Amino acid sequence: MKEFKVIEVKRSILEDNDADAALLREELKAQGTFLLNLMSSPGAGKTTMLKRLISMLKDEMRIGVMEADIDSDVDAQAIADMGVRAIQLHTGGMCHLDASMTRQGLREFNAGNLDLVVLENVGNLVCPAEFDTGACRNVMILSVPEGDDKPLKYPLMFSVCDVALINKIDVLPYFDFDMDKCQEYIHMRNPEAKIIPISAKNGEGFMEWAQWLREQVAAWADSR
Amino acid sequence: MKEFKVIEVKRSILEDNDADAALLREELKAQGTFLLNLMSSPGAGKTTMLKRLISMLKDEMRIGVMEADIDSDVDAQAIADMGVRAIQLHTGGMCHLDASMTRQGLREFNAGNLDLVVLENVGNLVCPAEFDTGACRNVMILSVPEGDDKPLKYPLMFSVCDVALINKIDVLPYFDFDMDKCQEYIHMRNPEAKIIPISAKNGEGFMEWAQWLREQVAAWADSR
């Protein structure tokens, strides 16, 4: 069992989260650290996706993961066991992270030594979409069992994401999920969103997904 | 296509939601209407479960359904088409309902003419658990694809539910879901919770679930 730190993050005292998030992005740019905000419903497969992604990228970049959870530590343990740096953020019942809470986690990492930090947000399709965490890019996971109509019901989440990963495509035969319709609904909300169908279980789609992230991390470092 | 009304509910101006919820429960008791608060993650199967339940109960009691959604009307239409009374509550981005918002919906129903009103809350395992809606009982749905560890990560939701329905058991063979462990985790959070594995797709478990609800509705009416 690898060690990881647990931090009880505090709600922001800043009134202007947007300004704070913009400032955090500037700080991250100055130190060349790319911060990815990962959002989804509970159980869409954030941690399983991350584990596979980390196994593909950990030899080419320095990675840290911040696991936000209301109470438990199971995800941070799973990530730490993969040999990358992990921090557990306890939100104390809060349903999302803001820029200030994100900064509290980054401070513990000394993020300047890392190329990529992934913030695994609280499992929730509503509140996390409303708060800019200071991340360079937002990624959301929609899983096949949740249904193809979710972009209709949770509009903001799909509007704010740069990438929508459609996970668990290995179980497509067992669900009534229309991939074309789902992609159409996502693009209704956000014509710019990149959509990548994946299976965190068998690895399908991960070449494209990892390549997108590689290019983003490199471009961020180059833009300093 | 059956008609249904859409209401833009407003955030409560009352500071004490708990007191307001207790008052609403008294009002419901006086008129013999049983209010069920239904919660889950996005895509756990709330509407599909409701449709099957309604088809079993609609000839023996007068049913109304309030569908809370941030923006869309797809669920209210599906329920209205079943021939029971349906109202769509638009929360305007809000991640949960409180007692005041629930009352705004009930008023439109003239709930005194109904034996059972189901409030389908916003799909979210965090925020809805924090707000008493005034319901007589809370039911949550956890679906198999979400994973057996959810009671560890979303403790309050499992603490406040009277019944946890474990849905989509028809796809158990395709997921790594330990039913015994899941039940153990739920009872860690809430030893009193009744757990009923169901499949909204094929009807498994619905005899027990419908019977529980029948008894609750009858007991509520008798306690006037």
Side-chain angles (χ1 to χ4, degrees):
Chain A
M1 300 260 278
K2 300 288 176 112
E3 279 197 19
F4 59 91
K5 195 157 180 175
V6 178
I7 303 173
E8 313 289 331
V9 288
K10 300 285 184 294
R11 189 196 284 258
S12 173
I13 50 160
L14 295 176
E15 287 195 5
D16 192 347
N17 181 62
D18 286 347
D20 192 29
L23 180 65
L24 181 55
R25 246 186 310 275
E26 288 306 310
E27 292 165 10
L28 289 165
K29 178 159 276 188
Q31 65 195 35
T33 301
F34 184 89
L35 175 63
L36 185 75
N37 178 27
L38 175 61
M39 301 177 282
S40 82
S41 293
K46 291 188 294 302
T47 310
T48 310
M49 183 285 287
L50 267 184
K51 284 165 69 179
R52 184 176 284 274
L53 183 73
I54 288 168
S55 70
M56 293 173 76
L57 296 179
K58 71 177 179 178
D59 294 334
E60 39 183 301
M61 55 180 85
R62 297 163 300 174
I63 302 175
V65 176
M66 301 192 288
E67 290 286 340
D69 260 307
I70 289 170
D71 199 19
S72 86
D73 301 336
V74 287
D75 291 340
Q77 187 62 62
I79 297 295
D81 288 344
M82 304 220 37
V84 298
R85 296 184 61 190
I87 284 180
Q88 180 75 52
L89 305 180
H90 278 174
T91 65
M94 284 281 284
C95 49
H96 66 275
L97 289 182
D98 60 21
S100 161
M101 294 157 92
T102 304
R103 184 182 271 113
Q104 292 167 52
L106 287 167
R107 201 174 288 146
E108 293 296 324
F109 264 146
N110 188 7
N113 297 322
L114 296 172
D115 303 304
L116 169 65
V117 173
V118 181
L119 170 63
E120 186 179 325
N121 217 312
V122 179
N124 182 335
L125 280 194
V126 187
C127 318
E130 295 171 23
F131 293 86
D132 189 341
T133 58
C136 313
R137 294 289 181 275
N138 292 320
V139 176
M140 71 84 57
I141 303 181
L142 172 67
S143 63
V144 165
E146 293 172 69
D148 50 41
D149 62 346
K150 292 300 159 289
L152 302 178
K153 296 188 177 178
Y154 303 91
L156 191 61
M157 176 57 73
F158 291 87
S159 303
V160 303
C161 70
D162 298 289
V163 175
L165 300 172
I166 303 182
N167 191 24
K168 307 192 189 179
I169 57 171
D170 51 289
V171 296
L172 269 171
Y174 313 114
F175 290 90
D176 182 22
F177 185 97
D178 186 326
M179 184 63 81
D180 292 336
K181 207 185 279 181
C182 185
Q183 301 205 2
E184 182 193 322
Y185 292 154
I186 294 173
H187 282 146
M188 262 169 57
R189 296 301 181 195
N190 181 355
E192 305 297 319
K194 184 174 179 66
I195 302 173
I196 311 177
I198 62 167
S199 165
K201 196 169 181 181
N202 68 27
E204 218 178 324
F206 272 70
M207 293 289 280
E208 183 183 358
W209 161 227
Q211 186 55 30
W212 179 88
L213 190 53
R214 238 178 234 123
E215 288 166 11
Q216 297 288 325
V217 171
W220 186 255
D222 288 347
S223 69
R224 271 204 278 185
Chain B
M1 300 258 279
K2 300 287 176 119
E3 279 196 19
F4 59 91
K5 195 157 179 175
V6 178
I7 303 173
E8 314 289 330
V9 289
K10 301 284 185 294
R11 188 196 283 259
S12 174
I13 50 161
L14 294 177
E15 287 196 6
D16 191 347
N17 182 61
D18 285 347
D20 192 29
L23 180 65
L24 181 55
R25 246 186 310 277
E26 288 307 311
E27 293 165 9
L28 288 165
K29 177 158 278 185
Q31 63 195 35
T33 300
F34 184 87
L35 175 64
L36 184 74
N37 177 26
L38 175 61
M39 299 178 284
S40 82
S41 293
K46 291 188 293 301
T47 310
T48 311
M49 183 285 285
L50 267 184
K51 284 166 68 179
R52 185 176 285 275
L53 183 72
I54 288 168
S55 70
M56 293 172 76
L57 296 179
K58 71 177 179 178
D59 294 334
E60 39 183 300
M61 54 180 86
R62 298 163 299 173
I63 302 176
V65 176
M66 300 191 287
E67 289 285 341
D69 260 306
I70 290 170
D71 199 19
S72 84
D73 301 336
V74 288
D75 291 341
Q77 187 62 62
I79 297 296
D81 288 344
M82 303 218 41
V84 299
R85 297 185 61 190
I87 284 179
Q88 180 75 52
L89 305 180
H90 278 175
T91 65
M94 284 281 285
C95 51
H96 66 273
L97 290 181
D98 61 21
S100 161
M101 295 158 91
T102 304
R103 184 183 271 113
Q104 291 167 51
L106 287 167
R107 201 174 287 143
E108 293 296 323
F109 263 146
N110 190 5
N113 296 322
L114 297 172
D115 303 304
L116 168 66
V117 173
V118 182
L119 170 63
E120 186 179 324
N121 217 312
V122 180
N124 182 334
L125 279 193
V126 186
C127 318
E130 294 170 24
F131 293 85
D132 189 342
T133 58
C136 312
R137 293 288 182 276
N138 292 321
V139 176
M140 70 84 58
I141 304 182
L142 172 68
S143 63
V144 165
E146 293 172 69
D148 51 40
D149 62 346
K150 291 301 158 290
L152 302 178
K153 296 188 177 179
Y154 302 91
L156 190 61
M157 177 57 72
F158 291 88
S159 302
V160 302
C161 72
D162 298 289
V163 175
L165 299 172
I166 303 182
N167 191 23
K168 308 193 188 179
I169 57 171
D170 53 288
V171 295
L172 269 171
Y174 313 114
F175 289 91
D176 181 24
F177 184 96
D178 186 327
M179 184 64 80
D180 292 337
K181 205 185 281 181
C182 184
Q183 302 205 3
E184 182 192 322
Y185 292 154
I186 294 172
H187 282 144
M188 263 170 54
R189 295 301 181 196
N190 182 354
E192 305 297 321
K194 183 172 178 67
I195 301 172
I196 311 178
I198 63 167
S199 165
K201 196 170 181 182
N202 68 27
E204 219 177 324
F206 272 69
M207 293 290 279
E208 183 181 358
W209 162 226
Q211 187 54 30
W212 179 87
L213 189 55
R214 237 178 235 123
E215 287 166 10
Q216 296 288 325
V217 172
W220 186 256
D222 288 347
S223 69
R224 270 203 277 184

